[in-house]
Amino acid sequence: MTEPNQETDTTTSEHPFQAEVNQVLDIVINSLYSHREVFLRELISNSADALDKIRFQAVTDESLLGSEKDLEIQLVPDKSAGTLTIIDTGIGMTRDEVIQNLGTIAHSGSKGFLAALKEKEQGGESVDLIGQFGVGFYASFLVADKVLVRTLAAGDDQTAWRWESEAKGTFHVEPAPEWTTRGTEVKLFLKDDQKDVLEEYQIRQLVQRYSDFVSWPILLEVEREEGEDDDKKTVKKDERINNASALWRRPRREITDEEYEEFYKHVSRDREPPLDTIHFTIEGTTSYTGLIYLPKKAPFDLFDQDKKRGVRLYVKRVMIMEDCEDLVPEYLRFLRGVIDSDDLPLNVSRELLQEDRIVRSIKKTIVTKTLGALEFMAKERADDYAAFWDGFGVVLKEGLHFDFENKETLAKLVRYRSSKSDFTSLTDYVDRMSEDQDTIYYAIGQNRQTVEGSPHIEALKKKDIEVLYMTDPIDEWAVQGLDEFDGKKLASAMKSDLDLDKDRTDEQKAEDDANQERLEDLSERAQKVLEDRVSEVRVSRRLDESPCCLVVPDGGVHAHIERMLRAQGQDLPAQKRILELNPTHPVIERLHLLNANPSESDKVENWFELLYDQALLAEGSPIADPPRFAKRMSDLMTQALESEEEA
Ligand code: ADP
C-alpha cells in the first residue's frame, strides 16, 4: 500500500486497498451473497471486542472512559435514508488504526489462504474454504454499496476520523470533527434490494440468532406510538434486544446448541460450527469457568509460527487477553474459547501469567478436560473422531513428546495406518497381536506406499506381524516419547537393534550363525567398497524378497527424517547406516561365489555400488548419482541379454 505523504497526513486522503482486501471483497460480493445475514454478526462482534478492550484499559485508567460511561452497542435503522448504523462506545480507532485495520488484512497466512482459495475456486469448492476465513468488517459490503465509518479513539488524541468506501479498489479518510463521542459508528448505505434488513423483526431475529451471547447490551432504536387517541405521537426509543449476560456464566441447561455455536463463531472467527464444546465451572481454592471448543477443521494457518493462539482470558468478566497462550499447551493450539477467572488480578501481565500458579492449574484442567472429551469422542462418535484426527492428529502427536504427564492418555488417542488397518489405535493393535508377539513394530517413511513396500518389513509381513506406518514428520519424535504401550515395547523395523531372534527357532538361529560365517568375506568386501557410506555390513533377519537393505544405527534418525531436517537447513553430521544382506537371496549367493573367484572379484565392486543404490531406491530415498546408476543398470542389462543370447 502506498503511504500518504506527511502533508496529507492529517487531512483528506485516498488510499488503495491492499491487494488481498480486494480479493476478499471479491469473495464477499461474488460468493457469499447467499449468506448475507452474517454482516450484522461480524459488525456486532467487532463492536463487542472494542468494548472489551476499553473496559480492560479502564481497569488501570478510569479516566479513559471520559463522559462516555455506558458501554453498549446501538443499532439505528433509518428507512427514509436507507441506512443501518451500528454504533459502539468501544475503544475506537486512531487514524493509523483506521487505515491499517480497514484497509489491509492482518491475519497472517492470509496470502496463502487466498491462493489456496483461488485454486479451489477453479475446482468449484470455494464456499467450503471461505468458512474458515472470517471476512469480518468487509462483510458490510454484502448488503451495502457504500460504508461510512466515523470513529474516535480513547485517549488524549481527540481527533475523530471518517472512513468511506464503495469497495471499488479505494477508500477515503478524513477528519470528522462532528463526531465527538468515543467509539465507532459504522453506517451502511444499503443496496436497493437489501432494504428489508431495516425491518425491526429482521434485526431482532438476526441479533437473537447470531449475537444474543454478546455480553454488552445491544440496543435497537424502535419507533413506538405513545399517548391516547388524539394525542398520539410516534417516538423513537432504544430497546435492549439481547440477553447481555456472559454466555459462559449461564447454567449449561439454559444454553441452546445454537447459542453455543454462535458464541464459538464469535471467539474463533470460524464460520463452521464446532466439533465439540466443553463447558465447565471449577470451584474451590481457585474458581473459574471455561468454555472451550474443538474446531471441526484445521485452520489453514495451523502451522504458522506467527499465528496467535490460545483462548480468551477474562477476569471477573473483563476480557484481559484475546489470545492467552499460557492457558493451552502448544499441542492443543487449535482450541478456542474462554476462561473466566475469579481470582487472577485484573492487571495481570503476560510475564506474570507465565509463572502464575492459578494459570498453571487452569491449564491443567483444560488439558484434562480436552483429552477426556477426545477419549469420549473416540469411543462414542467414531466418525467425528476420525475427522478430528484428520485435521489435528499431527498436532496432538506433539504431546507424546512434550507432555510427559499425559503420555498414557495421549497414547490411547493416537491413530496410525498399518499393514492391517487404515486407522488403528495402539489398543486395537495390541488386541490383534498374537500371544508370542511382545513388541509393537513400526516403520517410518515419506508415505504409505514407500513404507509398505520397504524391504525392512518383509520378514514381519511374512510372519503376519502387523507394522504401524508412521508417515508424519513428527512421528520420529513422537514415538520417542512412547517407548512402551500397555507393557509392550515399541520398535522400529528400520533400526539396527530390531530383535527378531526371539521369534526364531533354535534351528533357524544356528542357520543364521552359519550364514554370518559363510558370508564373512563378502561382508568385508562390501564394507570396503562402501566404506564412506556404510558403518557395517551384516547378515539380515528382516529380509525376505529383497537382497539387502539399509538400517539405522542405534540412536540414529530414520533416513526420511534425516532428509527432511537437511531440507530445512539443519546441519547434520553424515550418518552412516548398516547394510544388511539377505543370505538366501540369489543375488547375494552369486556375489558370494563371484567374490571367491579371484579373477572375477573386481566385478563385485560394481555390483555393490548398484546394490547400495537399489537399497536406497527401495526405501524411497534418492540416490546420489542417478546417471551412474543408470549406466550400471544398462551395462548389466546388456550383459544379461548377451548371456541369454549365448545360451
Ligand atoms: P477481525 O475483527 O477479524 O480482526 P475485521 O476486518 O472485522 O477483522 O476488523 C479489523 C480490525 O478493525 C479489528 O481487528 C479491529 O482492530 C478494528 N475494528 C473493526 N471494527 C471496530 C470497531 N467497531 N471498533 C474498534 N475497532 C474496530
Side-chain angles (χ1 to χ4, degrees), residues 42-43 45-51 53 88 90-93 97 101-102 104 106-107 134-138 151 183-186 269 322:
E42 299 289 340
L43 295 177
S45 225
N46 283 345
S47 290
D49 288 347
L51 289 162
K53 284 178 195 158
D88 65 64
I91 188 105
M93 286 177 272
E97 283 165 347
N101 294 338
L102 308 183
T104 62
H107 310 272
V135 291
F137 171 77
Y138 305 109
T151 183
T184 303
E185 171 203 67
V186 178
R269 302 280 197 253
E322 252 194 282

Side-chain angles (χ1 to χ4, degrees), residues 15 33 45 60-61 154 161 186-187 240 258 261 273 307 309 331 352 370 377 391 423 430 475 490 504 521 535 600 635:
H15 303 253
Y33 51 86
S45 225
T60 44
D61 182 3
W161 292 94
V186 178
K187 190 182 280 257
R240 204 179 88 189
E258 286 74 31
E261 190 177 313
K307 182 184 159 95
R309 55 187 190 80
Y331 74 91
L352 278 179
T370 306
M377 194 196 294
F423 190 68
V430 170
D475 279 325
L490 270 90
R504 288 171 100 76
D521 283 352
S535 65
E600 297 274 28
D635 286 352

